């Protein structure tokens, strides 16, 4: 038992050392390494949390205070997004509406009910889809060099630059709209270049997740990441209701400046955090140095080499299937965030400001599902008192069972969203989508059993890259189907969500072929974790 406990702690150290901090402490020589995630941590988060590979694991004295501040920063940064995105959609719609009616842009806003013409909505969907795609591409490209810079300079300076870049991007968007008599509406696409400054939201989340990994043990980490996800979810999905409330009473120009203030607050809070990274013993350091790229290699060569090394873990067909299923994550998220505002406003003829209340319904339902219902069901499925007929064999089989049913419920929810003729039916579909919202976390939990702990950060780097690829085609897919549905009229206006249902069905069907590895394989992958060097992994 003592030997097993020591081995478990060694495994925990190896895993945490790769998920933890981004760079050495000032007295250490810099290493070459990278990583990524997103505040919408949405996820999960996503998506570039694997761009920075940590080497050393700190144990902060006040780790509870550190993690609580990080949760709050995640919430604030996510909450700020709702105050910018919702009014921005309305402001862009108004500009397109002015062009459609050939009215001077500097004049008063046009009655929103006059801006629901199909041609206006098609152009709005096109402009926002291109912008979203450009943001995803630029953020993906920028994450790697900024991850390398974080390895050289330090995490706090890079966070400051990343937050400055996010603020710059939002300011560029609002500036184009404000000086619409000077800039064409397509000039908002240039705001995607702001992601080159600091790597944007993905790099910021990568640092937050790394610091949380620093400040928690292996047993605490899953709960800590779940709380981070919930904090991001609360911010992303609750802020639209308050932003809509402010828009209805003060107009669309006030909420963006509230969002700017919240970004600033989040940046200030970060500098109150202590350094979470400490130096580890020389044996661990030497084990990492063995796998480091040659110092003579160029940064690009090192980054590319790390990416190729990450692909080496894809030895299980089931793991590959789970990775392919992750392509569905971003379309599901986008369909319940920015795109939802335009769709609901057009189909049910309500103001964009009022769509924030609809969006927050999904947020509340998702939070209840994530914090209460899903943990309760998970515990019930493996509880000894549960009848054998309904009891899962172990945690892995339970997660696979829940993941499959989550996709089924997501499919039903998406179909309901696409076919519902009333707003009440649409809200019911959102609640069903919320019930299935745990599909991403369950899939990631399943992925982790196919690799040893020392290489799980490498795995999640690939997950993040797959999710970024999903975000590249997500908005264009929804916008294209929306335009096609407007052309066909009638029930076909729900085509974006019917297309999403088809994608969910395709992704969910892949899980039917996933097989849980034998228990011995799972044990072996854990027990060998301490023998594998991880110094050059892309986290």
């Amino acid at each position: 038992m003592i030997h097993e406990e020591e081995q478990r702690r060694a495994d925990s150290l190896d895993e945490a050392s790769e998920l933890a901090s981004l760079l050495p402490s000032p007295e250490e020589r810099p290493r070459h390494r990278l990583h990524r995630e997103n505040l919408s941590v949405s996820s999960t988060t996503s998506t570039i949390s694997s761009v920075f590979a940590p080497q050393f694991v700190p144990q902060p004295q006040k780790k509870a205070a550190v993690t609580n501040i990080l949760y709050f920063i995640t919430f604030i940064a996510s909450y700020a997004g709702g105050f910018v995105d919702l009014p921005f959609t309305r402001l862009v719609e108004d500009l397109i509406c002015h062009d459609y009616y050939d009215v001077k842009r500097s004049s008063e806003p046009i009655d929103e009910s006059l801006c629901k013409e199909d041609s206006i909505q098609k152009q709005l969907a096109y402009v926002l889809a291109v912008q979203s795609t450009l943001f995803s591409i630029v953020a993906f490209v920028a994450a790697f060099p900024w991850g390398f810079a974080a390895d050289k300079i330090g995490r706090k300076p890079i966070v400051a630059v990343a937050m400055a870049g996010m603020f710059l991007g939002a300011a560029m968007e609002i500036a184009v709209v404000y000086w619409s008599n000077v800039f064409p509406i397509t000039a908002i696409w240039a705001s995607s270049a702001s992601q080159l400054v600091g790597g944007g939201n993905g790099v910021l989340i990568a640092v937050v997740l790394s610091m949380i990994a620093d400040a928690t043990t292996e047993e605490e980490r899953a709960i800590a990441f779940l709380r981070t996800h919930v904090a991001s979810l609360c911010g992303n999905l609750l802020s639209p209701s308050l932003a809509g409330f402010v828009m209805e009473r003060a107009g669309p120009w006030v909420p963006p400046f509230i969002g700017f203030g919240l970004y600033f607050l989040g940046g200030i809070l970060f500098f109150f955090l202590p350094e979470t990274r400490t130096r580890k013993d020389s044996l661990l350091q030497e084990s990492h140095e063995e796998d480091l790229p040659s110092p003579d290699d160029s940064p690009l060569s090192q980054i590319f080499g790390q990416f190729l090394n990450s692909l080496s873990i894809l030895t299980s067909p089931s793991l590959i299937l789970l990775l392919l299923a992750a392509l569905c994550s971003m379309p599901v998220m986008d369909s319940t965030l920015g795109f939802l505002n335009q769709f609901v406003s057009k189909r049910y003829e309500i103001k964009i400001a009022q769509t924030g209340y609809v969006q927050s319904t999904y947020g509340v339902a998702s939070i209840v599902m994530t914090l209460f219902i899903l943990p309760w069901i998970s515990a019930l499925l493996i509880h000894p008192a549960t009848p054998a007929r309904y009891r899962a064999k172990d945690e892995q089989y339970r997660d696979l069972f829940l993941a499959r049913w989550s996709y089924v419920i997501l499919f039903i929810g998406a179909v309901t969203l696409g076919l519902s003729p009333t707003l009440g039916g649409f809200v019911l579909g959102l609640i069903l989508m919320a019930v299935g919202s745990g599909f991403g976390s369950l899939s990631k939990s399943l992925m982790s059993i196919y690799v040893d702990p020392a290489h799980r950060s490498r795995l999640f780097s690939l997950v993040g890259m797959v999710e970024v690829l999903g975000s590249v085609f997500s908005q264009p897919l929804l916008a294209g189907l929306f335009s096609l549905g407007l052309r066909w009229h009638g029930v076909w206006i729900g085509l974006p969500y019917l297309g999403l249902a088809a994608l969910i069905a395709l992704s969910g069907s892949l899980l039917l072929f996933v097989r849980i590895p034998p228990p011995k394989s799972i044990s072996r992958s854990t027990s060998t974790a301490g023998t594998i060097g991880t110094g050059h992994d892309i986290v």
Side-chain angles (χ1 to χ4, degrees), residues 282-303:
S282 59
L283 290 177
L284 178 60
Q285 183 173 349
E286 290 173 4
S287 70
H288 287 296
E289 288 177 348
E290 292 177 0
D291 288 333
L292 285 173
S294 170
D296 298 328
D297 292 343
S298 67
L300 289 178
S301 297
Q302 294 177 39
I303 293 170

Side-chain angles (χ1 to χ4, degrees), residues 422-538:
T422 64
L423 183 58
F426 188 87
V427 170
L428 174 61
L430 282 178
I431 293 175
L432 289 174
M433 294 283 285
V435 172
S437 61
F439 76 102
S441 298
L442 292 166
S443 296
K444 290 182 178 67
S445 175
L446 286 169
M447 292 179 199
S448 66
I449 69 177
Y450 295 95
V451 297
D452 56 80
H455 290 75
R456 283 176 187 165
S457 61
R458 181 182 297 186
L459 165 68
F460 292 124
S461 73
L462 294 177
V463 176
M465 295 173 70
V466 169
E467 290 178 343
V468 168
L469 291 177
S471 69
V472 170
F473 73 80
S474 174
Q475 282 285 2
L477 173 67
L478 294 171
L481 293 175
F482 184 54
S483 297
L484 186 60
L486 290 175
R487 186 184 310 166
W488 290 352
H489 301 292
V491 71
W492 290 111
I493 193 174
L495 191 59
Y497 288 101
L498 297 178
L500 177 66
L503 179 61
I504 292 171
L506 179 61
S507 299
S509 65
L510 297 177
L511 269 66
L512 296 175
F513 302 96
V514 170
R515 296 293 179 264
I516 300 297
K520 291 184 179 180
S521 299
I522 299 176
S523 300
R524 184 166 58 251
S525 70
T526 302
S527 64
T528 59
T531 65
I532 302 176
T534 61
H536 69 291
D537 293 350
I538 302 176

Side-chain angles (χ1 to χ4, degrees), residues 150-480:
D151 188 44
K152 289 280 189 178
I153 302 171
R155 62 176 58 164
K156 285 191 175 182
I158 297 305
V159 166
V161 176
M163 296 198 73
M166 293 169 63
F167 182 90
L168 176 63
M172 290 174 66
E173 292 175 348
I174 298 301
V176 169
V177 175
Y178 186 80
W179 285 291
S180 57
N181 56 333
V182 177
F183 301 104
I185 189 60
T186 52
I188 65 171
W189 296 343
S191 63
S192 61
S194 66
Q195 300 291 289
L196 294 173
V197 181
N201 192 52
V203 171
L204 178 63
I205 295 176
V207 177
V208 170
L209 292 180
S210 295
M211 296 185 76
I212 288 175
D214 291 346
T216 55
T217 64
E218 183 180 13
E219 291 80 5
E220 299 168 335
R221 193 167 303 127
I223 296 298
F225 283 173
L226 176 62
R227 289 172 178 169
T228 307
H229 169 69
V230 171
S232 175
L233 194 65
C234 287
N236 280 318
L237 297 175
L238 297 183
S239 59
S241 59
L242 184 56
F245 178 82
V246 175
M247 282 178 64
E248 288 185 307
R249 284 153 181 78
W253 285 105
V254 175
F257 290 98
I258 297 177
F260 293 157
L262 291 172
Y263 277 130
F264 186 70
L265 174 62
I268 291 177
L269 289 173
F270 188 88
F271 289 98
F272 285 94
L273 288 171
E275 179 57 52
T276 61
R277 192 169 183 280
T278 60
R279 182 176 180 128
K280 297 314 292 179
D281 59 89
S282 59
L283 290 177
L284 178 60
Q285 183 173 349
E286 290 173 4
S287 70
H288 287 296
E289 288 177 348
E290 292 177 0
D291 288 333
L292 285 173
S294 170
D296 298 328
D297 292 343
S298 67
L300 289 178
S301 297
Q302 294 177 39
I303 293 170
F304 185 68
Q306 292 168 356
F307 171 69
L308 292 180
N309 286 332
S310 295
L311 296 178
S312 65
I313 64 172
L314 300 181
T315 58
S316 169
S318 293
L319 177 57
I320 295 174
L321 291 176
L322 288 167
L323 272 175
L324 291 176
L327 283 169
C328 182
S329 296
M330 290 309 297
V332 170
M333 180 180 296
D334 287 340
S335 71
T336 57
L337 293 176
F339 176 77
L340 180 146
N341 300 323
Q342 182 188 359
F343 180 87
V344 171
S345 179
K346 166 62 179 176
R347 183 172 191 178
Y348 302 110
E349 299 180 350
I350 63 175
K351 293 182 177 180
I352 288 179
Q354 296 172 335
T355 64
Y357 303 117
V358 178
Q359 193 174 22
S360 292
T361 301
Y362 173 80
V364 172
S366 296
I367 293 167
V368 172
M369 184 67 192
T370 303
L371 288 182
F372 302 105
I373 300 178
L374 186 58
W376 177 76
I377 295 176
S378 298
L380 185 64
L381 286 175
I382 58 173
H383 195 279
T386 302
R389 180 178 179 182
Y390 304 105
R391 188 170 61 244
K393 185 177 180 181
D394 54 33
E395 289 83 354
Q396 289 77 35
Y397 284 91
R398 174 202 63 190
D399 289 349
L400 180 57
F401 172 82
L402 290 174
R404 287 170 174 171
W405 274 102
S406 293
Y407 274 97
V408 171
I409 297 173
L410 276 178
F411 173 79
I412 297 173
V415 172
T416 303
L417 294 176
L419 298 179
S420 177
T422 64
L423 183 58
F426 188 87
V427 170
L428 174 61
L430 282 178
I431 293 175
L432 289 174
M433 294 283 285
V435 172
S437 61
F439 76 102
S441 298
L442 292 166
S443 296
K444 290 182 178 67
S445 175
L446 286 169
M447 292 179 199
S448 66
I449 69 177
Y450 295 95
V451 297
D452 56 80
H455 290 75
R456 283 176 187 165
S457 61
R458 181 182 297 186
L459 165 68
F460 292 124
S461 73
L462 294 177
V463 176
M465 295 173 70
V466 169
E467 290 178 343
V468 168
L469 291 177
S471 69
V472 170
F473 73 80
S474 174
Q475 282 285 2
L477 173 67
L478 294 171

